[in-house]
Amino acid sequence: MSATFRRRLHRGAASTAVAALVLAALTASQAPRAAEAAAAGKQPPPPPSDTPIDGGTTYYTDLPPLNSPVPPRGSHHTASHPGSPAGPAEAGLPATVLAAYKKAESAIEGSDPGCRLPWQLLAGIGKVESGQARGGAVDAEGTTLQPILGPQLNGNGFALITDTDGGRYDGDVTHDRAVGPMQFIPSTWSQGGPDHTGWGADGNGDGKKDPNNVYDAALAAGRYLCAGGRDLSDQGDLDHAILGYNNSDAYLRTVLSWYEFYRHGTHEIPDGSGVLPERRREPRTAADDRDTRTGGAPGKDRRPGGSGTGHHEPGKGQHHPGKPGGTDHTPGGGTGTPTHEPTPTPKPPAEPRLTALTRVGDKDLTATAGGEFTSAPTVRAENAAGKPVAGAPVRFTVPASAGARFPGNRTAVTVTTGKDGLATAPALRAGDKATTFTVRATAVGRAAPAVDFDATVKAEPTPKADTLARTSDKPLTATAGQPFAEDAVEIKATYRGRLAAGVPVTATMVTDDPDHPVENDKGPYFKDPEATGGDQDDPVRTLTGLTTDDQGLLKLPKIYTDSHAGTFLLRLTTADGAVLTVKLKVAAPARS
């Protein structure tokens, strides 16, 4: 295997040099045109917000094998079913490509844990878009050994996107082409992200955002899939994320099939030795458009991603290793010629398009710390005519810092509107602290303005007590200079005859003035429980922060005495006015 890999790498490197020169020449030849456009202050417009990430271009339609993907003995793997029979070569992922997917998953887990992005989803898309970067034909930094380009986006079966990058990424100065292992169109890479800043990312930390680098492309794809607060453990969010890459139900099914295949186990193989798929989807036809809208005509079987009729069957059309840098069945190669003209089909009426979300019910949400909010945020999806829109996904999100969570400890959930256009979030539980925050409702995949709900979490009410009493009537005595017995004073708090748990109590050594009791400066005292060093022995005659336990009981800390003898008073109080006065008798020490 190693010798074969070296030969492949040598051919790839040679091809890279030629391709790099061609691409550089193309780009350089168009530099004056790009400079003229910049001087004229012209900036190519970004694509429409609903343009697929790959421009709706061709993709591989091969399906995974039927047997379980278990690695060969001795390989480095992540198999989920080590006891299964030996698996196919399709389960092998090129080392650098696999590392890029896992690195992207880790990065997004840190920045957007609510998305729950699995790296196997990136692997499924990478397989369908580019055959895992043409079987892992990448250098040590993760950059493809030669450009991976999709067909020209000239509107002929694909999206129509005139050149936006001056040929910088795709070498084409008339139209954009999908570029790199994850097949980003240049306009999406540099302009199509949030606020038109582009989805491009620096996944390998080299300071550059290169769609031809698998680390950069994988991180960018991951961020796109997580956009809009998606939770990819939710099937609805997962489907919408994949359809945003290429708006075709056939594409969705193909990606999901590879995603499930990789979830059952993979193993690492050397770069450049991956299996290349063979079948590519033809340019979009009327049948594809019908498939996207309806999921396919009843009673007709079609190959996922294409307009043909064959299904994947064991033993037929098996996958074969391809040549990195070759011309057969590679992204950017020939797109094929349809074998027949599709039968024109009348287009069904366009479904009402969601244009607005309106708040229904309470704008302000309230809860007590640790409890559920009294009402759930609800919105109504409407079209331009103000009519309800059914079946629209609506995303409800809360800031992670708020402490509030939806069921499953989630900070975001997606709810589909019903026939009445209403979407109501599930029960929202408040955190343990008083705070205010915003619950936001957004229409997934639509540009409708978000709807905000103000949420307030109030502190849990302080427990009350209207009576304090000692649990023992035994006199409290000590000798001057000696402490009282351990746990000498225990009290019980009640409210309306019931035990009162969690009641704050203040203990103060006071003078014997019944009208104006003030803190005494002599006699019994406590020690500061938080003091350190020499301050530990300093007398403390007022203690706060004492609280009754779940039985309404409170045992006071040890009480010490100084050299003064006599009868002293300990006064216990609550915020609700409950008062208990306890007598402490201190005897003079015996004379020797």
Side-chain angles (χ1 to χ4, degrees):
M1 175 62 75
S2 60
T4 302
F5 173 62
R6 281 196 296 272
R7 287 197 297 273
R8 285 178 172 172
L9 184 59
H10 179 74
R11 285 197 300 271
S15 300
T16 303
V18 174
L21 289 174
V22 172
L23 186 59
L26 280 169
T27 304
S29 68
Q30 301 305 327
R33 183 177 301 186
E36 290 171 4
K42 295 180 180 178
Q43 176 68 24
S49 59
D50 59 352
T51 300
I53 285 292
D54 66 3
T57 61
T58 57
Y59 53 85
Y60 289 113
T61 63
D62 296 38
L63 294 177
L66 298 178
N67 50 333
S68 300
V70 178
R73 181 175 298 180
S75 65
H76 177 70
H77 63 88
T78 56
S80 301
H81 305 286
S84 303
E90 284 286 5
L93 289 175
T96 301
V97 176
L98 177 59
Y101 296 151
K102 291 185 175 181
K103 185 176 178 67
E105 177 194 58
S106 177
I108 291 176
E109 174 63 26
S111 62
D112 187 6
C115 175
R116 295 174 170 83
L117 171 73
W119 66 260
Q120 292 92 340
L121 176 58
L122 296 174
I125 292 175
K127 178 69 173 182
V128 175
E129 292 288 349
S130 69
Q132 309 298 13
R134 288 182 177 156
V138 297
D139 62 20
E141 303 302 320
T143 302
T144 57
L145 297 179
Q146 69 177 103
I148 300 177
L149 301 175
Q152 193 179 64
L153 296 174
N154 55 14
N156 185 18
F158 314 120
L160 173 59
I161 304 178
T162 56
D163 178 57
T164 62
D165 66 335
R168 175 185 177 188
Y169 295 117
D170 57 10
D172 192 325
V173 295
T174 60
H175 294 83
D176 274 352
R177 295 171 181 261
V179 178
M182 304 303 279
Q183 289 289 276
F184 275 85
I185 52 179
S187 48
T188 301
W189 183 265
S190 58
Q191 296 174 258
D195 302 322
H196 302 316
T197 56
W199 289 109
D202 178 13
N204 61 354
D206 64 357
K208 297 181 294 185
K209 298 179 181 180
D210 182 3
N212 296 294
N213 183 279
V214 69
Y215 287 99
D216 295 358
L219 179 57
R223 288 178 176 173
Y224 167 75
L225 294 168
C226 291
R230 293 189 183 110
D231 177 357
L232 299 180
S233 65
D234 178 273
Q235 189 63 48
D237 279 7
L238 178 64
D239 290 353
H240 279 92
I242 297 172
L243 287 171
Y245 225 100
N246 192 305
N247 192 22
S248 161
D249 283 353
Y251 178 86
L252 172 65
R253 291 192 298 272
T254 306
V255 169
L256 287 176
S257 67
W258 282 106
Y259 168 48
E260 288 298 325
F261 178 77
Y262 290 133
R263 285 181 64 190
H264 284 83
T266 61
H267 59 277
E268 180 184 297
I269 60 175
D271 289 343
S273 62
V275 176
L276 277 179
E278 293 186 335
R279 292 191 294 270
R280 290 189 65 83
R281 172 191 177 276
E282 297 170 353
R284 183 174 294 278
T285 66
D288 293 316
D289 291 334
R290 185 166 59 253
D291 179 64
T292 300
R293 291 189 301 270
T294 66
K300 291 185 178 181
D301 292 333
R302 282 178 289 158
R303 186 182 67 217
S307 56
T309 58
H311 272 291
H312 175 78
E313 299 178 14
K316 294 184 180 182
Q318 294 297 314
H319 311 288
H320 301 286
K323 298 178 181 179
T327 57
D328 294 334
H329 308 293
T330 58
T335 58
T337 302
T339 57
H340 63 278
E341 291 294 329
T343 303
T345 303
K347 293 185 177 180
E351 295 183 0
R353 183 178 178 86
L354 188 157
T355 60
L357 294 177
T358 58
R359 184 184 298 106
V360 176
D362 298 334
K363 173 185 177 182
D364 299 326
L365 312 174
T366 59
T368 300
E372 287 188 358
F373 281 83
T374 55
S375 60
T378 302
V379 295
R380 183 172 185 258
E382 299 177 349
N383 60 19
K387 301 295 184 181
V389 177
V394 176
R395 188 75 164 168
F396 294 92
T397 59
V398 297
S401 58
R405 294 293 185 269
F406 292 109
N409 200 36
R410 295 182 179 182
T411 58
V413 293
T414 299
V415 178
T416 302
T417 58
K419 293 181 179 179
D420 54 3
L422 296 180
T424 300
L428 179 63
R429 178 168 291 277
D432 296 330
K433 297 180 180 179
T435 186
T436 59
F437 60 93
T438 298
V439 180
R440 173 159 292 184
T442 55
V444 178
R446 294 291 182 266
V451 173
D452 289 340
F453 297 81
D454 296 327
T456 301
V457 179
K458 300 178 180 179
E460 187 175 359
T462 303
K464 296 180 178 181
D466 54 18
T467 303
L468 296 176
R470 283 188 65 198
T471 59
S472 170
D473 56 3
K474 183 178 180 180
L476 299 171
T477 61
T479 301
Q482 299 296 322
F484 284 81
E486 195 83 29
D487 299 331
V489 181
E490 182 182 60
I491 64 171
K492 177 176 66 175
T494 57
Y495 182 69
R496 296 179 179 178
R498 296 174 179 266
L499 293 175
V503 177
V505 177
T506 299
T508 307
M509 302 294 180
V510 297
T511 61
D512 58 1
D513 184 342
D515 297 324
H516 303 285
V518 295
E519 184 180 279
N520 209 336
D521 60 357
K522 60 182 178 180
Y525 63 92
F526 303 104
K527 289 184 179 182
D528 188 350
E530 298 182 359
T532 58
D535 295 334
Q536 286 181 320
D537 294 328
D538 291 347
V540 174
R541 290 190 167 86
T542 297
L543 277 185
T544 59
L546 303 172
T547 306
T548 58
D549 63 16
D550 57 0
Q551 299 298 315
L553 301 177
L554 169 63
K555 291 182 179 181
L556 267 62
K558 182 182 288 188
I559 300 174
Y560 299 84
T561 65
D562 57 15
S563 60
H564 296 85
T567 300
F568 301 89
L569 301 179
L570 168 62
R571 192 166 186 260
L572 303 161
T573 61
T574 70
D576 301 299
V579 178
L580 172 65
T581 301
V582 179
K583 290 184 179 181
L584 302 173
K585 293 183 178 181
V586 180
R591 294 182 179 181
S592 56

